[in-house]
Amino acid sequence: MIAVNFSNFIADGSNDTLTPTSDYDYAGRPETYIVPILFAVIFIVGTIGNGTLVLIFVRHKQMRNVPNIYILNLALGDLLVIISCVPFTSTVYTFQTWPYGLAVCKVSEMAKDVSIGVSVFTLTALSADRYFAIVNPMRKLHTSVGGQFATRFTVIVAVAIWAAAAVCAVPAARFSYIRQFRAHNITLFEACYPFPEDLGPAYPKAMVIVKFLVYYAVPLAVITCFYVLIARYLVHTSNNMPGELQGQIRQVRARKKVAKTVLAFVLMFAVCFLPHHVFMLWFYNYPKSTDEYNTFWHVLRIVGFCMSFINSCINPIALYLVSGTFRKYFDRQLFRWCAGPMAAAATDTNVFMIRKNGTVSRDARISESVAAVQRARVHDGSRNRDKQQQQQ
């Protein structure tokens, strides 16, 4: 995800310098205003949505199952790119020069690659998990006592995903730098750039192809294979399941619902990153790309740039729409945030009124609460005795 503005420059020979084609007014471009506003929405929605997901997993132990651990992994990867990249890359179409320095450039480029790797590798692992859960040739992995082995195995896979994504991001951390684009020995602008000039023109071409394969084509091909196998299995077994196995039918339906949720994540990832990869492959591997760079390619570049970041905030929205369980916890958590200040204010007002009216009212309320607790205990005790008598 490189954001260097080539719309007002063309290549000048083979020395990779640029020549201005016209006086290009940044204030007159729509992307100067649209991109920062869109990124502000991405930051707010992504932080709230993914942050809420993380809090749900932390506070509710019953949500910590195998597929939800992978969903937590997705949320953490999205939070990484939202916090470390969005505030800085939101201005690349607003400022003519990268203003944040070399350290932020390296961290931003590395964090983007880590986040993309975590997302696509986690989606691949989720698809594999759904295949094993539905087709279930590895029954012991999902039927161990309390699911403890499956949970530990999932945590190990999640950690391995982060390690693999970090390794894939090493080139971005190592080689990203502030590149000066010059014309006639005059620096026109500076940009955060991941492809060093001293490695030659073959390096960006190779890296763009490798990233397309590792971060997009190969994982999506693997995911497609898993879902084709799942579909074949479901079609084959839909008419052959005994009628008395109603519990198994309900279990398969629940797992199919989770598989559909994962498929929705995969489709959104594929759609969001397709324009970016199309542009990068064309620009760095088509010999006449700088000569034929026009309004269409410029718009596609900006659309791909924005959609690749939109993917970081869209998963919680999709999860809210397709999962009733997550919707319930989302509503509860968001209501707690919204109603917290109001409840605190109401409590303070109530205490103030009690103190103003005197301690007798406060003591009366305390006595009434104690009496209610005692009545509940007596009622529960009588119910337990009745149950014991019925069992005897």
Side-chain angles (χ1 to χ4, degrees), residues 67 71 74 123 126-131 133-134 223 226-228 230-231 234-235 249-269 315 318-324 326:
I71 293 176
L74 287 174
L123 290 174
L126 254 173
S127 302
D129 174 77
R130 290 303 87 198
Y131 169 77
I134 295 175
I223 291 170
F226 279 126
Y227 271 90
V228 168
I230 290 173
L234 293 176
V235 170
I249 294 175
R250 287 192 297 269
Q251 189 179 40
V252 170
R253 287 177 179 173
R255 290 174 176 174
K256 285 170 60 178
K257 187 175 182 179
V258 177
K260 291 178 181 178
T261 303
V262 177
L263 182 59
F265 290 163
V266 172
L267 292 176
M268 289 185 299
F269 179 89
N315 285 339
L319 197 60
Y320 184 89
L321 294 176
V322 302
S323 174
F326 274 102

Side-chain angles (χ1 to χ4, degrees), residues 41-99:
V41 175
I42 292 172
F43 183 84
I44 294 171
V45 174
T47 302
I48 294 176
N50 290 293
T52 303
L53 266 179
V54 173
L55 285 177
I56 289 173
F57 291 120
V58 170
R59 293 183 174 179
H60 302 282
K61 188 175 181 180
Q62 63 271 25
M63 297 295 291
R64 301 172 195 170
N65 54 33
V66 170
N68 288 350
I69 291 174
Y70 288 123
I71 293 176
L72 173 63
N73 224 35
L74 287 174
L76 293 175
D78 290 338
L79 279 176
L80 173 66
V81 75
I82 287 172
I83 294 173
S84 62
C85 300
V86 169
F88 308 109
T89 54
S90 62
T91 61
V92 295
Y93 288 102
T94 305
F95 299 149
Q96 190 169 353
T97 295
W98 177 264

